[in-house]
Amino acid sequence: MTTTAAPIALPADWRDFLALTKPRVMTLVVFTGLCGMLAAPVPIHPILGFTAILCIALGAGAAGALNQWYEADLDSKMRRTQGRPLPAGRMDRQSALHFGVGLACFSLALMYFAINLAATVILAVSILFYVFVYTIWLKRRTPQNIVIGGAAGAFPPLIGWAAATGTSRCCRCCSSP
């Protein structure tokens, strides 16, 4: 009688953790966050601007890591994603989960203490939307997941705007009670 043991995850290195953050997606998020910041009607100090963009990048990386943690079973079945750290067996799921949650918490804490509450709240909503609405709720249920989940792409410019202005309101009409 032959038994098949579950593959033992090898120790992950820094490249595996970087791969969890989906760097190619992160570049788009950073670019649109920067566009929102630059479009704001007020300037932002360069160090604060850099910090806000860093927080946006870390938040996007956290969402990507949590997405890969949740979808490791599907990723192992698709040729395009089989080489990712979890399906390839280079990392265990618990490490990916802890990394994603830790990165999310760090990005939110840094955004709150260095930038402002408005940007922090929008960043938190964007991470939660990507993980719970797009990844967990929509992705396995409907082919429309990419259309509805595409709303997550609207968050980074809003976060950049809020980082610069301290509010998510774009004009006077939005600020009236």
Side-chain angles (χ1 to χ4, degrees):
M1 181 167 119
T2 9
T3 59
T4 310
I8 298 171
L10 300 172
D13 71 8
W14 66 270
R15 290 177 291 252
D16 295 319
F17 286 99
L18 180 64
L20 280 182
T21 66
K22 296 184 175 182
R24 289 177 53 189
V25 173
M26 190 188 301
T27 59
L28 299 172
V29 170
V30 166
F31 176 73
T32 58
L34 180 62
C35 289
M37 189 180 302
L38 294 175
V42 296
I44 186 169
H45 189 280
I47 292 175
L48 293 178
F50 173 81
T51 303
I53 293 300
L54 176 65
C55 292
I56 292 169
L58 294 175
L66 293 169
N67 171 274
Q68 288 188 55
W69 163 78
Y70 187 78
E71 295 192 328
D73 61 327
L74 289 179
D75 286 348
S76 67
K77 297 174 184 173
M78 294 188 295
R79 190 166 17 140
R80 179 180 64 86
T81 56
Q82 285 175 342
R84 289 179 174 173
L86 292 170
R90 295 189 312 269
M91 179 182 288
D92 65 281
R93 289 186 50 137
Q94 190 170 1
S95 294
L97 176 62
H98 290 168
F99 177 69
V101 170
L103 205 55
C105 291
F106 179 74
S107 69
L108 293 170
L110 183 59
M111 184 72 90
Y112 177 74
F113 289 113
I115 309 301
N116 60 52
L117 178 62
T120 305
V121 168
I122 301 166
L123 179 59
V125 170
S126 72
I127 294 168
L128 293 171
F129 183 89
Y130 188 81
V131 172
F132 290 102
V133 175
Y134 172 68
T135 301
I136 295 174
W137 183 45
L138 292 173
K139 200 140 181 220
R140 296 181 189 228
R141 287 181 175 80
T142 176
Q144 293 299 315
N145 68 69
I146 197 70
V147 176
I148 301 164
F155 286 110
L158 189 55
I159 297 166
W161 180 283
T165 64
T167 181
S168 61
R169 296 183 180 113
C170 59
C171 57
R172 291 180 196 245
C173 65
C174 294
S175 58
S176 58

